[in-house]
Amino acid sequence: MCLLSVFYPDEIKDSAYEIDYEGLYESGIRGLIYDIDNTLVEHGFPADERVIRLFERLKSIGFKITLLSNNKEARVKMFNDSVNVNYIHKAGKPLKKGYIKAMKMMGTDLSSTLFIGDQLFTDIFGAKLCNMKNILVKPIDPHEEIQIVLKRKLEAIVLFFYLRRKKNEN
């Protein structure tokens, strides 16, 4: 087993907007935990019509939703004002506590919860520490703060080995 595999996502999708949510619901997923910035909108942006429509659709399917962000409450609340779901700010990702709190808020467990985010070393690694199902999505905006740009370079190395392993499995 590769040491990097602790960072490997369960699945990779181009966008949070291209996931088969109906299929997830049929498979038993009832709770969705999302990162916000660069997962649902560009960094710092409010919820837009696309997010609002997606969350309305997810709620109509029957999902419970929680936003899990390392941002301050003002940023997360501003985003949440348009979608009205559970949220946790200053989550401390990749620590497990935020993921566990999100499941408690939704009344779900590991078998019925999925995490969706754009960063391997915070979002996906935290979900994996909890043994939570997860999907890595490509970042919406390639223009990011320098510390994130540096993390993305390290993520590229991990993803190279992940994709090579996936190719060899097929």
Side-chain angles (χ1 to χ4, degrees):
M1 179 171 94
C2 175
L3 288 175
L4 297 176
S5 65
V6 297
F7 301 109
Y8 290 174
D10 293 341
E11 206 174 329
I12 298 177
K13 294 288 185 186
D14 286 337
S15 166
Y17 301 96
E18 297 176 11
I19 295 170
D20 175 12
Y21 291 106
E22 288 78 8
L24 288 173
Y25 196 83
E26 288 175 18
S27 75
I29 299 297
R30 296 296 181 265
L32 300 171
I33 305 172
Y34 285 92
D35 173 55
I36 300 171
D37 289 323
N38 253 346
T39 298
L40 294 168
V41 294
E42 290 180 32
H43 185 80
F45 278 52
D48 57 21
E49 282 303 312
R50 188 165 70 155
V51 177
I52 293 166
R53 280 193 312 273
L54 174 64
F55 278 27
E56 285 172 354
R57 180 175 143 227
L58 295 174
K59 290 174 188 178
S60 73
I61 293 170
F63 285 109
K64 294 185 175 146
I65 304 165
T66 299
L67 304 170
L68 186 66
S69 176
N70 284 346
N71 275 302
K72 295 177 182 172
E73 185 170 21
R75 190 301 180 246
V76 180
K77 184 181 180 321
M78 179 264 292
F79 180 89
N80 190 54
D81 283 345
S82 298
V83 294
N84 196 28
V85 296
N86 295 319
Y87 70 85
I88 299 168
H89 65 285
K90 289 190 176 180
K93 292 181 289 182
L95 299 177
K96 294 192 227 182
K97 65 180 180 170
Y99 298 83
I100 293 166
K101 182 177 179 182
M103 286 189 291
K104 286 181 182 172
M105 291 169 87
M106 295 185 295
T108 61
D109 59 24
L110 286 173
S111 68
S112 61
T113 307
L114 173 76
F115 181 87
I116 300 159
D118 71 297
Q119 291 191 48
L120 282 180
F121 300 135
T122 51
D123 298 333
I124 301 304
F125 182 50
K128 294 203 49 119
L129 286 173
C130 297
N131 293 314
M132 182 180 289
K133 296 174 190 90
N134 60 80
I135 296 177
L136 176 70
V137 295
K138 294 179 181 172
I140 290 173
D141 184 10
H143 303 97
E144 299 176 297
E145 298 170 353
I146 188 64
Q147 72 271 17
I148 306 241
V149 170
L150 296 174
K151 279 200 280 186
R152 297 280 187 212
K153 292 188 183 303
L154 294 172
E155 285 180 356
I157 295 166
V158 174
L159 289 172
F160 169 82
F161 288 104
Y162 167 80
L163 293 170
R164 188 170 80 175
R165 186 187 84 183
K166 284 290 189 191
K167 183 180 175 187
N168 290 337
E169 288 175 357
N170 296 331

